[in-house]
Amino acid sequence: MLEIKNVTKTFNTLKAVDDLSFRVEDGEIVGFVGPNGAGKTTTMKILTGILKPDSGEVNINGFDMQKTPIEAKEIIGYIADSPDMFLRLKGIEFLNIIADIYKVPTDIRRERIETFATRFGLIDALDLPMQNYSHGMRQKMMVAAALVHNPPVWILDEPLIGLDPKSAYNLKGMMREHADAGNCVLFSTHVLEVAEKLCDKIIIINRGKDIFYGTMDELTTMYPDKDFEQIFLEMTGESV
């Protein structure tokens, strides 16, 4: 479970997140959508403790991010909005460093790394420096690193960008499996079709505010004659 309560974050005079509240229950996949600059990435960074909110609370499986940050971060799997990190390291070196940070035993990490490398086509790339990887290969490495400690809470910022169709399909399947096992997933995406088909609930954010939080059935009941794209454009004020 993850919960954000009345969170506000301002940069100079820009209120990137404005009194935002929502909750992702165990067993749910929740899609986080909004136009560019809506505050999605800022919210993700607040949820993971990278940024500190000006006000409000973040709770991860009962741990307050401000009061018990280590305990909260230990149970998060986070994919950032950019995969261009630690590029001088070989793939296997990067994964082992992350596994060390989360104290994953050697035999367990070996099995998990092999599983991820096989599932995402990384076997031949593990011994190469990540600076030699394509954008898509780097993204797949970030997925493996985020999940190597088997965290119950997944917070994924645009995780499908750059992935080939097979890898995207595999990741979406893993997200569903993770939620069905009683865990929770929050992910942001610009691909409305993915959010519509994969998610149990949708959060639409605009200018830092939550303008909708609920199921697709609830949303389409509000706008019975429109598809999700039309609804999204109308709600965010981007319709032509």
Side-chain angles (χ1 to χ4, degrees):
M1 179 275 294
L2 68 84
E3 186 174 24
I4 187 167
K5 293 181 181 179
N6 306 114
V7 163
T8 296
K9 181 67 179 179
T10 302
F11 298 100
N12 297 320
T13 59
L14 174 64
K15 190 169 284 188
V17 180
D18 188 359
D19 195 31
L20 185 63
S21 298
F22 61 82
R23 180 183 176 106
V24 182
E25 300 286 355
D26 293 338
E28 288 184 340
I29 301 177
V30 174
F32 197 34
V33 300
N36 290 335
K40 299 187 300 297
T41 292
T42 299
T43 302
M44 294 289 200
K45 290 182 177 179
I46 291 171
L47 281 167
T48 54
I50 296 171
L51 291 176
K52 184 177 179 180
D54 300 333
S55 59
E57 300 176 11
V58 172
N59 184 288
I60 307 292
N61 271 12
F63 295 107
D64 186 299
M65 184 59 75
Q66 299 303 313
K67 296 177 182 178
T68 53
I70 300 300
E71 291 85 349
K73 292 175 183 179
E74 283 178 341
I75 55 177
I76 291 173
Y78 173 56
I79 298 177
D81 59 335
S82 171
D84 297 328
M85 298 178 284
F86 306 102
L87 298 184
R88 293 181 181 272
L89 295 177
K90 295 178 181 179
I92 191 63
E93 292 173 335
F94 173 59
L95 292 177
N96 275 313
I97 286 174
I98 300 301
D100 285 341
I101 291 172
Y102 288 100
K103 301 176 183 178
V104 181
T106 300
D107 56 337
I108 294 176
R109 79 174 62 176
R110 186 182 299 117
E111 180 181 346
R112 288 179 184 164
I113 289 172
E114 182 177 351
T115 297
F116 290 133
T118 301
R119 197 160 190 175
F120 291 108
L122 295 170
I123 293 291
D124 295 335
L126 289 177
D127 289 324
L128 299 175
M130 292 196 297
Q131 62 188 358
N132 295 342
Y133 290 8
S134 66
H135 178 90
M137 291 293 285
R138 293 174 188 176
Q139 183 72 3
K140 289 189 280 189
M141 190 62 68
M142 293 303 115
V143 172
L147 308 183
V148 72
H149 60 299
N150 193 30
V153 176
W154 292 6
I155 300 175
L156 316 179
D157 196 355
E158 297 288 351
L160 302 174
I161 288 182
L163 295 185
D164 57 83
K166 181 179 179 180
S167 296
Y169 177 83
N170 283 335
L171 180 55
K172 287 184 285 187
M174 291 169 65
M175 293 163 67
R176 185 72 268 167
E177 292 166 7
H178 189 69
D180 288 346
N183 303 297
C184 70
V185 178
L186 174 71
F187 79 102
S188 67
T189 181
H190 283 104
V191 185
L192 298 180
E193 183 181 6
V194 170
E196 182 177 9
K197 291 182 177 180
L198 183 60
C199 297
D200 302 301
K201 292 179 182 176
I202 302 288
I203 301 167
I204 301 177
I205 185 176
N206 193 32
R207 298 178 181 176
K209 286 183 173 293
D210 165 19
I211 59 175
F212 176 78
Y213 180 38
T215 66
M216 280 302 305
D217 286 344
E218 291 169 339
L219 185 61
T220 53
T221 297
M222 295 166 58
Y223 298 85
D225 299 321
K226 297 182 179 180
D227 62 27
F228 188 25
E229 182 177 9
Q230 292 170 324
I231 295 170
F232 175 82
L233 292 173
E234 182 171 327
M235 293 186 75
T236 57
E238 296 201 341
S239 55
V240 178

